[in-house]
């Protein structure tokens, strides 16, 4: 694309409009979070101060310095994955299974923050591990995503041969695919987490999305409660869910990106009178499915290089 075309009036206006929508969206989100969580946060602070004063009244031998030392012990125990309720010792966070899950959260950029390497050697290794692991993870997820699209396309072609209706068939296949993904990567894990972690359904579905979108706040982390004994299959199930769930959600997000790009193109045509590059203005009308162009390139599963 030439520089002159990049800085044409229509493109500049559409870019400014897109930036305005983005900033507005973020600011509106900030206002909503402020209103929903701000007052509650102030109440929590007040309750904590009252609890602190009651603690001093109940344990007269405890002063501010002693409270800080106790708080440090609790914080260190939480970071190490140890339970203060038990008299016996436990393995902590750095077991093989939890370490493998941690490695998965590094290369997928989830990064809950509930555990992190504390040794110099571990921190240096984490840098190089992520440096090569993140691109490798993207390549593998992209390959898995193409296989998912290939399976979906094969099923769509089979139905097209039976119904002779391309657009309706592909819309139906997309809908079934997305609903199946929601069931497999959100509903079923939500029920498992509710049983194993004793979370509410809202907390479990929140954790599922925060994990698979790689936001990873770390306020809820599965398989990390030192007061619980988890079955051996739990970590394996979690790692498999994260891997395939990331590939599926990436496809869904790419579909949303396609929709936004099409809206942007529509606005440019409506306001700027600009036609899409490399195709006629009627091309989008004849191709209403934003994933058709990508899917048409997938005639069969990709061959391993």
């Amino acid at each position: 694309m030439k520089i002159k075309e990049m800085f044409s009036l229509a493109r500049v206006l559409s870019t400014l409009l897109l930036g305005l929508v983005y900033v507005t969206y973020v600011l509106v989100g900030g206002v909503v979070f402020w209103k929903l969580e701000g007052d509650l946060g102030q109440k929590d602070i007040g309750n904590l101060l009252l609890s602190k004063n009651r603690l001093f009244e109940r344990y007269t031998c405890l002063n501010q310095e002693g409270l800080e030392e106790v708080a440090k012990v609790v914080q260190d125990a939480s970071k190490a994955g140890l339970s203060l309720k038990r008299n016996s010792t436990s393995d902590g966070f750095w077991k093989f299974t939890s370490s493998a899950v941690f490695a998965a959260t590094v290369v997928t950029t989830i990064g809950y923050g509930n555990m992190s390497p504390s040794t110099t050697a571990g921190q240096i290794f984490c840098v190089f591990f992520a440096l090569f692991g993140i691109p490798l993870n993207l390549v593998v997820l992209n390959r898995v995503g193409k296989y998912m699209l290939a399976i979906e396309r094969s099923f769509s072609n089979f139905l097209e041969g039976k119904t002779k209706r391309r657009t309706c068939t592909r819309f139906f296949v997309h809908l079934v695919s997305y609903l199946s993904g929601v069931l497999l990567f959100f509903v079923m894990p939500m029920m498992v987490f509710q049983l194993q972690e004793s979370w509410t359904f809202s907390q479990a579905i929140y954790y599922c999305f925060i994990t698979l979108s790689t936001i990873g706040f770390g306020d809820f982390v599965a398989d990390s409660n030192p007061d619980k004994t988890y079955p051996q299959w739990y970590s394996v199930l979690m790692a498999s869910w994260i891997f395939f769930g990331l590939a599926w959600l990436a496809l869904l997000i790419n579909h949303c990106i396609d929709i936004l790009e099409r809206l942007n193109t529509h606005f440019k045509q409506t306001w700027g009178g600009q036609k899409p590059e490399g195709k006629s203005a009627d091309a989008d009308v004849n191709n209403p499915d934003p994933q058709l162009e990508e899917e048409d390139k997938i005639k069969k599963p990709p061959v391993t290089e």
Side-chain angles (χ1 to χ4, degrees):
M1 184 184 297
K2 297 180 181 180
I3 296 180
K4 185 177 180 181
E5 294 177 354
M6 289 181 61
F7 289 94
S8 63
L9 180 60
R11 286 188 176 276
V12 171
L13 289 177
S14 65
T15 302
L16 291 176
L17 176 62
L18 187 62
L20 179 62
V21 171
Y22 175 78
V23 173
T24 303
Y25 187 79
V26 172
L27 292 178
V28 169
V31 170
V32 173
F33 284 125
W34 175 40
K35 293 299 182 181
L36 292 177
E37 303 291 336
D39 294 338
L40 182 61
Q42 293 296 325
K43 292 179 181 178
D44 289 340
I45 292 175
N47 291 332
L48 286 173
L49 291 176
L50 289 176
S51 299
K52 175 184 173 182
N53 293 331
R54 292 195 189 104
L55 193 64
F56 284 139
E57 292 174 359
R58 183 174 182 180
Y59 301 99
T60 56
C61 61
L62 185 66
N63 55 17
Q64 181 66 34
E65 183 179 354
L67 179 62
E68 292 175 359
E69 292 180 1
V70 172
K72 187 178 186 306
V73 171
V74 173
Q75 184 179 12
D76 292 341
S78 176
K79 186 175 178 59
L82 299 177
S83 174
L84 296 178
K85 296 180 180 180
R86 301 176 181 176
N87 292 326
S88 59
T89 59
S90 62
D91 295 333
F93 276 144
W94 295 106
K95 301 175 292 185
F96 171 73
T97 53
S98 56
S99 298
V101 173
F102 169 76
T105 62
V106 171
V107 298
T108 55
T109 69
I110 295 175
Y112 290 120
N114 65 312
M115 58 187 295
S116 57
S118 56
T119 64
T120 302
Q123 292 170 350
I124 294 175
F125 174 75
C126 185
V127 170
F128 288 98
F129 181 74
L131 185 63
F132 294 98
I134 292 174
L136 176 62
N137 176 74
L138 293 176
V139 170
V140 173
L141 287 181
N142 181 59
R143 181 62 59 90
V144 172
K146 286 183 178 180
Y147 272 102
M148 288 181 175
L149 277 177
I151 295 172
E152 183 179 315
R153 176 62 189 274
S154 298
F155 184 64
S156 178
N157 288 339
F158 173 77
L159 292 181
E160 285 176 25
K162 299 293 184 180
T163 62
K164 307 300 182 182
R165 295 183 177 183
R166 180 178 181 179
T167 302
C168 294
T169 300
R170 294 204 172 185
F171 174 79
F172 173 75
V173 171
H174 284 325
L175 181 62
V176 171
S177 174
Y178 295 143
L179 291 179
S180 300
V182 170
L183 177 65
L184 186 61
F185 297 114
F186 281 88
V187 177
M188 293 177 62
M190 175 185 67
M191 301 169 80
V192 173
F193 293 139
Q194 196 274 335
L195 292 174
Q196 293 293 329
E197 305 290 344
S198 300
W199 294 339
T200 64
F201 285 117
S202 61
Q203 291 172 338
I205 197 70
Y206 164 79
Y207 167 76
C208 288
F209 181 80
I210 292 300
T211 296
L212 295 185
S213 61
T214 70
I215 296 174
F217 288 128
D219 48 352
F220 291 93
V221 182
D223 195 21
S224 64
N225 190 343
D227 297 323
K228 289 182 175 291
T229 302
Y230 297 99
Q232 294 293 329
W233 52 264
Y234 192 49
S235 296
V236 178
L237 181 65
M238 268 197 60
S240 302
W241 167 70
I242 288 175
F243 178 77
F244 290 102
L246 283 174
W248 174 81
L249 191 62
L251 290 178
L252 183 60
I253 292 175
N254 284 335
H255 194 185
C256 295
I257 292 174
D258 288 335
I259 293 175
L260 291 176
E261 290 290 348
R262 290 171 63 81
L263 288 175
N264 184 39
T265 302
H266 174 73
F267 287 139
K268 285 195 294 186
Q269 293 178 30
T270 303
W271 295 349
Q274 181 180 352
K275 294 183 179 181
E277 296 179 359
K279 59 178 75 175
S280 65
D282 297 332
D284 286 338
V285 178
N286 297 326
N287 187 19
D289 190 337
Q291 283 190 320
L292 286 181
E293 182 178 351
E294 175 66 23
E295 289 181 352
D296 284 336
K297 300 177 183 177
I298 305 174
K299 300 301 181 183
K300 56 183 179 180
V303 180
T304 304
E305 299 175 354

